[in-house]
Amino acid sequence: MTPTLVQALAEALDGRLRGSYLGRVCRPDAWTLGFEMNGGFTLGFCWEPTSIAAGLCTWRWPRGAPEEILSRHGQGARVERVRAVPGEPSLRVEVSGETARAFIWEAIGRSANAFLLGESDLILWSGRLLKGPIRTGRTGE
């Protein structure tokens, strides 16, 4: 996915989501995550390398078993802004919650990932751990 496409997606989502609250967390598998939103739709993300996607779905997702940290820190957070990370194919959903500050979705091929960030952009949760020497996605990085 290109930075230009992610920018267009960010602008569309920002207009729809600003001021909304992240609802129940849906985690049907290891590669996908959704937040039920008011209005009967789901804000969904997939970072599986061959099926990278993000958007609003008009149907309810299978709930699955999300990690407790996602429910505790993401659910109920208010969407303040959705923006693209300049020059990168990454989407940043900035939220105000008890400790959550942002949800990041990266659309960078095999390294695609999703993160829930807290204070000072420290990782609270990562969709998957990477084996790179610079960034792994471990909690607290």
Side-chain angles (χ1 to χ4, degrees):
M1 190 169 281
T2 67
T4 304
L5 186 56
V6 172
Q7 177 66 41
L9 177 62
E11 290 171 6
L13 290 175
D14 188 55
R16 257 325 265 281
L17 297 177
R18 196 179 286 220
S20 298
Y21 290 88
L22 301 178
R24 180 176 290 154
V25 180
C26 306
R27 187 81 198 274
D29 61 45
W31 297 102
T32 57
L33 177 70
F35 295 98
E36 290 182 355
M37 308 293 289
N38 41 346
F41 58 90
T42 301
L43 172 60
F45 301 95
C46 178
W47 54 92
E48 198 278 326
T50 62
S51 305
I52 297 170
L56 293 176
C57 305
T58 57
W59 59 88
R60 298 243 183 235
W61 279 26
R63 295 223 165 91
E67 293 86 338
E68 192 269 334
I69 195 164
L70 283 171
S71 297
R72 185 167 27 107
H73 294 289
Q75 191 170 313
R78 184 176 187 262
V79 177
E80 298 295 332
R81 179 180 176 199
V82 180
R83 66 180 179 91
V85 177
E88 295 183 25
S90 300
L91 189 68
R92 182 178 177 100
V93 179
E94 296 175 357
V95 299
S96 60
E98 188 173 316
T99 57
R101 296 290 176 254
F103 179 80
I104 306 290
W105 170 76
E106 295 179 325
I108 50 177
R110 291 189 50 183
S111 296
N113 209 345
F115 304 96
L116 182 65
L117 305 179
E119 295 281 335
S120 303
D121 283 347
L122 290 177
I123 297 172
L124 298 174
W125 171 87
S126 175
R128 68 184 186 131
L129 293 178
L130 304 174
K131 295 180 182 176
I134 296 174
R135 183 178 62 112
T136 64
R138 283 192 176 85
T139 302
E141 282 188 351

